[in-house]
């Protein structure tokens, strides 16, 4: 057909508008023909035509989307000429179509199957021409959709000839849609349309993980295992292609709870998770900031936190970015509902609001809530179930490998500028800092830096820095050791002053009984360390007063070299009420469970129980608490050795407490003259001649005295004039009833 001038007209019916064809009179053209419409010398558009009796000859009717696309107005004169497709180059292989609801009032959230949509599209528009940038209307499931042709890839000519595909792909601007073309739907960016099925594009998803992060640079040390566990639970599903996740029916994890002792890196870890992910800047909220004195304001503050995520999910659906909300000290706002007696109930409504936002009826899929606390026991349990803060991760004290990492991070800058002396061995420091948290290790490095700087400050009448020496500043091993000794002590773990006072005079091995106790203690330590069957070992050291039970218990604990050693002693609980005492004892045990290997010495049990023989009276509350704690197995992977001491085994027997201990070791008094002489020799307080006189007096006689009492009597005698020391010592022994001329044992 030769080019001819025709007039643009309005499409006669709605049905014809949906055909994507230009409508003409049958007198002018035939249905199925392709024409090129020239609107200006530079602008040409290709249409497939359809005939209809209502169209006036000499006019060509276009639908509104077609007129928009081609920039046509009604009555405009256009040049129309026939157009022939080159079947070897212009057949559509794959066509990408952007889709959205035509009218915003018809928006709905039900999913549309893109495969069915593609089939219907090909049936409806078969053998029609399509151009990149073209707009059209498509009816599917009684809903109207606006489409925009984004991209056309030509069909491989080999397929048309019935040969195997050559694999070559090339893009074209205009193509002819065939029955075996492939149509892929892509949701418009701001659309709330939900597409499912394989005929939707794999959107160019931004990688959720930053490509250039690593632990060392992030400043997290000793948490590799925890980090990989969080990654496995919370992020694996977000890294996977969304269509596979969709086919599995998998939901993303929306909440993580990090808990553990203070200073172990919970806040740091949450901050770094935000940096590690290509997500929106995390919103960091301190729990108490949420609360407001006005009614309803606290809940509104929670709603504000989630507003951006809700808005983006409505606009972009599955393509929405990840919004991270970090709650520091989450126990401040999420206490057990109903637990705050006499309160206004604000806490309860805040918890309710948070629960409904994370996992309510209109749930969000583009959020990750990270809560942090060192009191997980206070948090409402509804918040900890799956679907809410379901990944619970204990951030504990770092092990030796972790401490090496942390110290390396904090000394990296000094190493870079050669301010760290060559004698500083990070591995040695890591070995010395058992039970130090990450924050305490950072404090240790700071203290060492201060010690080093202090050497270069001249404090005379005014404080001056010696500039010449300051240039040569080096932080040395001695600075670190001095800080370990004086400045930074771990909040958890061993307090050496604690048991140093109990073993002040050393352990006097006056005979086989003492050696046997020490050997049995060593065995129990090895059992705790090595046996997987008995993670809890409890031993009771019992014997008469002053026989040195506490010193032996402290010595066994000290030699165990366990990272956590605590002595639970009545002298720290003077004046405590029963409940306060129970809480203090429980805290020691709770702290012990946080360390891999722990030893708790429960000293002077009858004193802890407030036992007195008159009455008889004792504290049943403390007794029950101790019975429970002595039998409670530590958490998995943790081991605990409990050493109890008592002078009243008979009383504990009546209280049925002996059954709580795995074994009982008897600590005897010195009972023979030979043992007494052995003890004196080891103590070395008397001269040889004096010892010979004492030996003559006590040899072959029965003696009955505790080592502690013996020390006291010796020290008292030594205050006398050298001539009278031996006489005084023997007199004191007889006064105490510890030595008798006969063979009787005087108690």
């Amino acid at each position: 057909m030769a080019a001819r001038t025709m007039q643009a007209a309005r499409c006669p019916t709605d049905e014809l508008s949906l055909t994507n064809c230009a409508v003409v009179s049958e007198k002018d053209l035939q249905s199925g023909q392709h024409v090129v419409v020239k609107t200006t010398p530079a602008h040409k558009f290709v249409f497939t035509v359809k005939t209809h009796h209502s169209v006036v000859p000499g006019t060509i009717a276009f639908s509104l989307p077609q007129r928009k696309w081609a920039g046509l107005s009604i009555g405009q004169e256009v040049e129309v000429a026939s157009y022939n497709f080159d079947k070897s180059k212009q057949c559509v292989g794959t066509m990408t179509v952007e889709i959205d609801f035509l009218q915003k009032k018809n928006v709905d959230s039900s999913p549309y199957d893109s495969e069915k949509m593609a089939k219907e599209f090909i049936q409806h528009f078969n053998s029609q021409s399509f151009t990149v940038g073209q707009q059209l209307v498509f009816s599917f499931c009684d809903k109207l959709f606006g489409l925009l042709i984004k991209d056309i890839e030509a069909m491989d000519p080999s397929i048309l000839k019935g040969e195997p595909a050559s694999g070559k792909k090339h893009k074209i601007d205009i193509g002819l849609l065939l029955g075996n073309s492939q149509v892929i739907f892509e949701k418009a960016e701001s659309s709330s349309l939900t597409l499912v099925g394989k005929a939707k594009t794999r959107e160019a998803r931004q990688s959720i993980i930053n490509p250039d992060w690593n632990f060392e640079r992030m400043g997290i040390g000793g948490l590799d295992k925890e980090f990989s566990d969080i990654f496995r639970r919370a992020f694996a599903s977000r890294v996977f292609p969304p269509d596979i996740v969709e086919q599995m029916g998998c939901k993303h994890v929306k909440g993580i709870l990090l808990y553990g002792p203070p200073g172990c890196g919970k806040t740091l870890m949450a901050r770094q998770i935000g940096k590690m992910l290509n997500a929106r800047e995390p919103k960091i909220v301190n729990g108490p900031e949420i609360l407001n004195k006005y009614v309803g304001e606290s809940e509104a503050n929670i709603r504000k936190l989630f507003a951006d995520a809700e808005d983006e999910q409505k606009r972009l659906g599955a393509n929405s970015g990840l919004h991270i909300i970090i709650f520091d000290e989450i126990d401040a706002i999420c206490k057990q509902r109903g637990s705050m007696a006499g309160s206004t109930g604000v806490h309860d409504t805040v918890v309710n609001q948070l629960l409904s936002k994370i996992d309510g009826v209109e749930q969000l899929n583009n959020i990750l809530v990270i809560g942090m606390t060192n009191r997980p026991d206070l948090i409402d349990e509804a918040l900890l179930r799956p679907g809410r803060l379901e990944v619970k991760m204990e951030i504990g004290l770092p092990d030796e490998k972790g401490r090496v990492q942390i110290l390396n991070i904090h000394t990296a800058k000094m190493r870079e500028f050669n301010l760290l002396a060559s004698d500083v061995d990070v591995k040695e420091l890591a070995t010395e800092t058992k039970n130090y948290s990450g924050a305490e290790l950072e404090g240790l490095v700071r203290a060492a830096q201060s010690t080093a700087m202090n050497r270069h400050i001249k404090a005379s009448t005014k404080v001056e820095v010696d500039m010449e020496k300051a240039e040569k500043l080096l932080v040395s091993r001695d600075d670190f050791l001095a800080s370990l000794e004086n400045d930074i002590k771990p909040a958890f773990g061993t307090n050496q002053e604690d048991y140093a006072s109990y073993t002040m005079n050393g352990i006097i091995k006056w005979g086989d009984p003492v050696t046997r106790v020490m050997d049995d203690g060593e065995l129990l330590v090895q059992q705790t360390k090595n046996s997987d069957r008995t993670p809890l070992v409890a031993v009771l050291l019992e014997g008469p007063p002053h026989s040195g039970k506490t010193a032996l218990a402290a010595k066994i604990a000290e030699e165990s070299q366990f990272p956590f050693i605590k002595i639970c002693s009545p002298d720290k609980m003077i004046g405590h009420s029963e409940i306060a005492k129970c809480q203090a004892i429980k805290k020691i045990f709770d702290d012990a469970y946080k360390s891999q290997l722990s030893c708790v010495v429960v000293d002077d049990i009858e004193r802890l129980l407030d036992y007195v023989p008159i009455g008889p009276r004792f504290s049943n509350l403390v007794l029950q608490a101790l019975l429970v704690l002595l039998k409670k197995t530590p958490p998995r992977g943790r081991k605990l050795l409990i050493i109890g001491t008592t002078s009243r085994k008979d009383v504990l027997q009546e209280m049925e407490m002996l059954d709580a201990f795995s074994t009982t070791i008897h600590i005897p008094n010195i009972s023979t003259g030979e043992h007494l002489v052995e003890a004196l020799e080891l103590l070395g307080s008397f001269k040889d001649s004096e010892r010979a006189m004492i030996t003559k007096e006590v040899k072959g006689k029965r003696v009955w005295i505790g080592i502690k009492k013996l020390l006291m009597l010796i020290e008292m005698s030594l205050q006398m004039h050298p001539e009278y020391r031996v006489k005084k010592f023997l007199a004191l022994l007889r006064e105490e009833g510890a030595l008798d001329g006969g063979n009787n044992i005087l108690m």
Side-chain angles (χ1 to χ4, degrees):
M1 159 193 161
R4 52 180 287 191
T5 304
M6 297 179 84
Q7 247 188 9
R10 190 178 272 114
C11 194
T13 68
D14 281 350
E15 267 100 292
L16 287 169
S17 297
L18 295 173
T19 60
N20 190 39
C21 291
V23 189
V24 292
S25 163
E26 49 222 356
K27 292 178 183 169
D28 291 331
L29 292 159
Q30 293 171 356
S31 275
Q33 256 185 294
H34 310 294
V35 294
V36 57
V37 176
K38 209 183 225 184
T39 55
T40 68
H43 293 93
K44 297 177 185 172
F45 301 91
V46 177
F47 291 98
T48 305
V49 297
K50 206 177 185 66
T51 57
H52 195 264
H53 60 84
S54 65
V55 179
V56 179
T59 61
I60 179 164
F62 298 102
S63 66
L64 180 63
Q66 288 170 327
R67 294 203 299 275
K68 259 192 191 170
W69 170 52
L72 288 160
S73 54
I74 297 195
Q76 182 180 342
E77 291 197 340
V78 291
E79 195 178 292
V80 180
S82 182
Y83 183 86
N84 293 315
F85 278 95
D86 179 346
K87 292 274 177 84
S88 66
K89 292 178 184 166
Q90 285 189 293
C91 292
V92 173
T94 308
M95 182 160 81
T96 308
V97 181
E98 190 181 86
I99 182 165
D100 193 4
F101 293 107
L102 187 65
Q103 292 167 306
K104 293 292 176 219
K105 66 178 182 203
N106 288 345
V107 168
D108 71 1
S109 57
S110 52
Y112 288 92
D113 188 332
S114 56
E115 287 169 69
K116 285 185 185 165
M117 209 180 250
K119 266 186 203 159
E120 204 161 305
F121 184 91
I122 289 168
Q123 279 174 0
H124 199 69
F125 300 121
N126 199 352
S127 301
Q128 282 198 25
S129 80
F130 284 95
T131 310
V132 174
Q134 182 177 344
Q135 295 173 10
L136 63 147
V137 178
F138 171 51
S139 170
F140 177 74
C141 291
D142 298 331
K143 273 265 187 332
L144 291 178
F145 294 95
L147 307 184
L148 171 68
I149 309 299
K150 290 269 297 234
D151 184 64
I152 303 174
E153 224 170 68
M155 194 175 282
D156 194 330
S158 320
I159 296 176
L160 295 167
K161 295 175 195 163
E163 296 166 11
S166 66
K168 288 178 188 165
K169 292 182 177 179
H170 65 279
K171 298 197 185 267
I172 51 175
D173 286 333
I174 299 174
L176 184 67
L177 189 74
L178 301 177
N180 59 346
S181 298
Q182 193 183 354
V183 177
I184 290 175
F185 289 100
E186 183 178 288
K187 196 176 75 161
E189 191 180 319
S190 59
S191 170
S192 56
L193 172 70
T194 312
L195 288 178
V196 293
K198 290 180 184 162
K200 68 180 204 296
T201 62
R202 296 186 173 178
E203 297 92 357
R205 290 171 60 253
Q206 54 161 348
S207 163
I208 190 167
I209 305 294
N210 261 339
D212 60 343
W213 67 278
N214 72 19
F215 287 120
E216 296 283 331
R217 206 171 321 132
M218 288 166 77
I220 293 185
L223 296 175
D224 301 19
K225 182 187 172 295
E226 287 83 349
F227 219 98
S228 56
D229 279 359
I230 287 178
F231 186 86
R232 174 177 62 83
R233 291 293 311 280
F235 302 125
S237 63
R238 294 181 188 273
V239 177
F240 237 68
D243 43 343
I244 297 175
V245 173
E246 200 175 275
Q247 286 162 22
M248 289 173 78
C250 170
K251 281 185 181 171
H252 300 310
V253 163
K254 292 190 218 148
I256 302 172
L257 180 71
L258 304 177
Y259 66 94
C264 284
K266 297 184 293 294
T267 311
L268 175 68
M269 193 175 214
R271 216 181 289 134
Q272 299 300 4
I273 286 173
K275 283 186 192 166
M276 169 189 123
L277 299 177
N278 274 333
R280 306 280 173 280
E281 184 67 28
K283 292 181 181 173
I284 299 178
V285 193
N286 293 321
E289 287 174 7
I290 292 288
L291 302 175
N292 191 302
K293 65 179 179 180
Y294 295 110
V295 174
E297 280 298 311
S298 304
E299 296 88 312
N301 288 341
I302 294 273
R303 287 196 293 277
K304 275 178 208 156
L305 291 174
F306 290 89
D308 292 349
E310 278 179 335
D311 179 47
E312 195 169 327
Q313 175 144 323
K314 275 182 189 146
R315 283 191 300 108
L316 302 179
N319 289 350
S320 165
L322 180 64
H323 291 253
I324 298 177
I325 300 167
I326 297 172
F327 285 96
D328 205 356
E329 307 301 342
I330 194 169
D331 51 285
I333 53 169
C334 292
K335 287 191 171 67
Q336 288 280 359
R337 284 172 290 182
S339 65
M340 307 273 291
S343 77
T344 53
V346 171
H347 280 90
D348 296 4
T349 51
V350 169
V351 176
N352 294 340
Q353 181 68 72
L354 192 58
L355 293 177
S356 64
K357 277 294 171 205
I358 299 176
D359 187 29
V361 179
E362 288 185 0
Q363 56 183 3
L364 296 166
N365 213 14
N366 59 345
I367 53 163
L368 179 66
V369 176
I370 303 175
M372 289 169 292
T373 178
N374 30 32
R375 294 296 304 277
D377 49 308
L378 295 180
I379 293 173
D380 193 278
E381 60 235 18
L383 198 63
L384 302 179
R385 71 156 177 75
R388 289 164 185 168
L389 300 185
E390 63 181 273
V391 178
K392 291 175 270 301
M393 185 61 59
E394 182 175 5
I395 309 294
L397 297 166
D399 57 9
E400 194 165 320
K401 186 170 145 236
R403 293 197 292 274
V404 169
Q405 283 183 3
I406 294 167
L407 287 165
N408 275 330
I409 287 164
H410 292 305
T411 55
K413 210 149 195 179
M414 291 195 283
R415 206 174 285 112
E416 189 187 326
F417 292 103
N418 297 322
L419 293 172
L420 203 62
S422 55
D423 63 352
V424 175
D425 181 1
V426 170
K427 285 188 178 155
E428 179 200 11
L429 288 172
T431 314
E432 290 295 316
T433 49
K434 285 179 187 151
N435 275 27
Y436 274 66
S437 67
E440 283 158 351
L441 289 169
E442 188 184 351
L444 175 71
V445 175
R446 270 203 304 270
Q449 289 165 340
S450 309
T451 311
M453 286 176 195
N454 200 44
R455 283 203 301 274
H456 302 303
I457 294 174
K458 291 185 286 191
S460 47
T461 46
K462 57 178 193 260
V463 176
E464 288 177 88
V465 176
D466 189 337
M467 289 313 287
E468 282 175 36
K469 286 186 181 171
E471 296 295 320
K472 298 173 191 163
L473 174 71
L474 273 183
V475 181
S476 68
R477 175 174 178 266
D478 291 344
D479 297 326
F480 277 101
L481 295 181
S483 304
L484 264 178
E485 190 73 29
N486 308 318
D487 298 325
I488 308 290
K489 295 278 185 245
F492 292 88
T494 313
N495 189 349
Q496 298 211 286
E497 287 90 38
D498 237 17
Y499 51 73
S501 60
Y502 294 113
T503 54
M504 189 170 55
N505 299 307
I507 299 294
I508 315 299
K509 293 188 179 173
W510 47 260
D512 289 345
V514 183
T515 316
R516 203 163 42 246
V517 171
M518 291 303 290
D519 291 347
D520 286 353
E522 174 61 24
L523 273 179
L524 290 163
V525 167
Q526 292 308 323
Q527 180 188 341
T528 311
K529 243 184 220 171
N530 305 325
S531 167
D532 290 329
R533 292 185 177 180
T534 52
L536 174 70
V537 176
V539 55
L540 180 67
L541 305 185
E542 60 82 19
H546 312 306
S547 55
K549 300 178 293 296
T550 306
L552 284 164
K555 189 70 179 169
I556 293 168
E558 185 180 5
E559 288 188 351
S560 72
Q561 294 285 300
F562 282 5
F564 182 97
I565 299 170
K566 270 281 191 300
I567 295 182
C568 173
S569 162
D571 60 10
K572 301 213 178 75
M573 300 182 198
I574 296 169
H576 278 28
S577 68
E578 282 187 300
I579 291 172
K581 216 181 239 191
C582 290
Q583 284 170 341
I585 297 169
K586 184 175 181 296
K587 185 178 186 313
I588 290 174
F589 277 84
D590 283 346
D591 288 352
Y593 298 142
K594 288 172 184 157
S595 177
Q596 307 286 323
L597 271 176
S598 312
C599 176
V600 174
V601 177
V602 185
D603 190 29
D604 215 353
I605 293 175
E606 65 275 14
R607 270 306 60 71
L608 277 174
L609 296 175
D610 300 333
Y611 168 76
V612 282
I614 310 159
R617 286 177 44 196
F618 65 92
S619 162
N620 193 35
L621 257 181
V622 179
L623 171 65
Q624 298 306 328
L626 272 175
L627 286 173
V628 170
L629 291 168
L630 288 170
K631 291 179 184 173
K632 184 181 173 187
T633 314
R636 198 168 171 189
R638 312 284 158 90
K639 294 179 170 187
L640 176 62
L641 170 65
I642 301 170
I643 307 173
T645 71
T646 180
S647 307
R648 295 302 304 264
K649 182 184 174 187
D650 53 327
V651 172
L652 298 196
Q653 176 82 58
E654 278 181 48
M655 293 177 180
E656 297 182 350
M657 199 176 197
L658 289 187
D659 303 338
F661 290 95
S662 342
T663 179
T664 306
I665 298 175
H666 178 65
I667 314 289
N669 266 349
I670 295 173
S671 56
T672 68
E674 285 73 14
H675 282 155
L676 179 66
V677 172
E678 180 79 16
L680 290 176
E681 223 164 283
L682 288 168
L683 285 164
S685 306
F686 290 112
K687 293 178 190 157
D688 291 353
S689 55
E690 290 172 328
R691 266 208 311 279
M693 289 163 71
I694 296 168
T695 307
K696 201 170 158 193
E697 282 294 325
V698 298
K699 208 165 182 191
K701 291 186 179 174
R702 301 296 294 275
V703 176
W704 187 255
I705 189 166
I707 186 77
K708 211 163 154 192
K709 179 58 74 76
L710 179 64
L711 268 170
M712 187 59 70
L713 300 185
I714 292 171
E715 289 306 310
M716 203 168 155
S717 321
L718 291 178
Q719 309 312 312
M720 301 284 291
H721 190 274
E723 281 179 46
Y724 307 112
R725 290 204 302 209
V726 174
K727 207 179 267 181
K728 181 67 182 169
F729 174 65
L730 292 168
L732 286 169
L733 275 180
R734 288 197 179 92
E735 278 170 29
E736 284 294 330
L739 177 68
D740 186 45
N743 289 332
N744 299 329
I745 298 174
L746 296 179
M747 302 282 291

